[in-house]
């Protein structure tokens, strides 16, 4: 178990030193435990170099099995007192505020047996590092593992505050290209620029935000033009704080996915929550 814990921590944190810090042991102890594990498995788990370590193909496959096993052990005691169960949900902050929280009362209304925990997840990470039975991730879906379902497809387009549009005379696709384009690592401009017939190169200037909600708030404050899926921006559009500049849109290359470990899909509360979320957002 010590070797498995060292392996999982090193894989998740990207090195032996951070794994050692988390486990309160020395880096040499982590290295020794992983070498013991590799000898027992007769398989190399990491490629080692002067710049660090990287999982081998076999290591990535084994990591998925180890995480499923850890999840099964953790959840074997998941039922709390008086027959209640704990359900831990991880979601990116903007999804949690705009799409999940308004719907949660309906889910919990007739489910007195569930103790719900909601954790804010890092939308930039495909891997779930916080405790979670169900995780929502902003992704293209390619790096997600376990049970994975896309929640919905959304259209992508440029949005800005009405005062900003008026002040800068934004009326067409060409006008958008000349405006201040707000940026986010979560949502590049390239897909929409290409759909609009413009060079798909990413803007090199403009403020950068690592949360989609902050991006939309910045646009509504008049800092520039945001690119956003229409459904995610519904609260800003409905209130009039943001308006579309053009009707040219394209399918968002990234979307929200709901996931769980393969070992968890048989848990009734997990399956029920995932089905409820998928059905509600499909409407």
């Amino acid at each position: 178990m010590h070797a498995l814990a060292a392996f999982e921590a090193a894989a998740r944190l990207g090195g032996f030193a951070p794994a050692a810090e988390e486990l309160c042991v020395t880096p040499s102890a982590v290295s020794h435990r992983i070498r013991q594990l590799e000898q027992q498995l007769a398989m190399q788990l990491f490629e080692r170099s002067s710049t660090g370590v990287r999982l081998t193909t076999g290591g990535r496959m084994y990591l998925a099995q180890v995480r499923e096993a850890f999840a099964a052990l953790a959840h074997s005691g998941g039922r709390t007192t008086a027959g209640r169960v704990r359900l831990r949900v991880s979601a990116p902050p903007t999804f949690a505020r705009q799409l999940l929280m308004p719907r949660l009362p309906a889910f919990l209304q007739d489910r007195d047996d569930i103790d719900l925990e909601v954790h804010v997840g890092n939308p930039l990470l495909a891997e779930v590092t916080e405790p979670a039975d169900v995780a929502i991730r902003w992704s293209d879906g390619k790096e997600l593992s376990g049970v994975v379902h896309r929640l919905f497809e959304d259209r992508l387009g440029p949005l800005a505050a009405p005062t900003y549009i008026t002040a800068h005379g934004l009326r067409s696709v060409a006008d958008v290209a000349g405006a201040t384009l707000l940026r986010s690592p979560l949502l590049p401009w390239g897909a929409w620029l290409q759909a609009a017939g413009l060079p798909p190169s990413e803007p090199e200037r403009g403020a950068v935000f690592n949360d989609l909600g902050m991006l939309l708030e910045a646009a509504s404050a008049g800092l520039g033009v945001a690119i956003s899926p229409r459904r995610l921006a519904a609260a800003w559009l409905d209130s009039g704080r943001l308006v579309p500049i053009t009707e040219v849109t394209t399918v968002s290359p990234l979307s929200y996915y709901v996931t769980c470990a393969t070992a968890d899909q048989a848990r009734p509360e997990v399956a029920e929550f995932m089905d409820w979320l998928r059905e509600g957002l499909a409407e």
Side-chain angles (χ1 to χ4, degrees), residues 235-280:
W236 287 266
L237 293 169
D238 293 344
S239 66
R241 288 179 290 164
L242 292 175
V243 296
I245 299 171
T246 170
E247 290 306 311
V248 176
T249 62
T250 188
V251 174
S252 175
L254 301 173
S255 187
Y256 286 111
Y257 290 78
V258 61
T259 73
C260 74
T262 304
D264 284 341
Q265 66 179 329
R267 293 174 56 197
E269 65 275 14
V270 170
E272 188 176 2
F273 181 85
M274 292 179 70
D275 289 344
W276 166 82
L277 192 61
R278 293 169 64 195
E279 291 170 4

Side-chain angles (χ1 to χ4, degrees), residues 188-207:
W189 274 87
W192 182 83
L193 291 171
Q194 187 172 26
L198 299 171
S201 57
E202 293 298 319
E204 297 180 354
R205 301 184 62 184

Side-chain angles (χ1 to χ4, degrees), residues 178-218:
T180 298
L181 303 183
L182 303 178
R183 299 177 292 162
S184 173
L186 293 166
L187 197 55
W189 274 87
W192 182 83
L193 291 171
Q194 187 172 26
L198 299 171
S201 57
E202 293 298 319
E204 297 180 354
R205 301 184 62 184
V208 179
F209 302 90
N210 70 351
D211 173 72
L212 295 178
M214 286 196 298
L215 176 74
L216 293 167
E217 282 295 328

Side-chain angles (χ1 to χ4, degrees), residues 38-70:
E38 288 177 325
Q39 292 173 0
Q40 292 173 5
L41 298 171
M43 176 175 65
Q44 185 176 353
L45 298 173
F46 289 100
E47 294 178 358
R48 297 162 173 82
S49 68
S50 57
T51 58
V53 296
R54 184 175 63 178
L55 283 169
T56 63
T57 300
R60 286 193 296 272
M61 296 174 65
Y62 188 62
L63 177 62
Q65 297 174 13
V66 169
R67 284 179 172 164
E68 286 186 16
F70 279 175

Side-chain angles (χ1 to χ4, degrees), residues 135-158:
I136 292 95
R137 283 294 178 262
W138 175 253
S139 171
D140 60 6
K142 296 177 182 177
E143 297 182 358
L144 302 178
S145 60
V147 179
V148 178
H149 298 289
R150 188 178 186 178
L151 288 173
F152 56 86
E153 185 178 277
D154 210 345
R155 302 292 297 183
L156 198 64

Side-chain angles (χ1 to χ4, degrees), residues 12 33 49 60 76 91 97 109 151 165 172 212 219 222 228 263 266:
R12 171 166 45 83
R33 291 175 184 180
S49 68
R60 286 193 296 272
S76 62
R97 293 188 184 99
Q109 184 175 3
L151 288 173
I165 292 174
S172 66
L212 295 178
S228 173

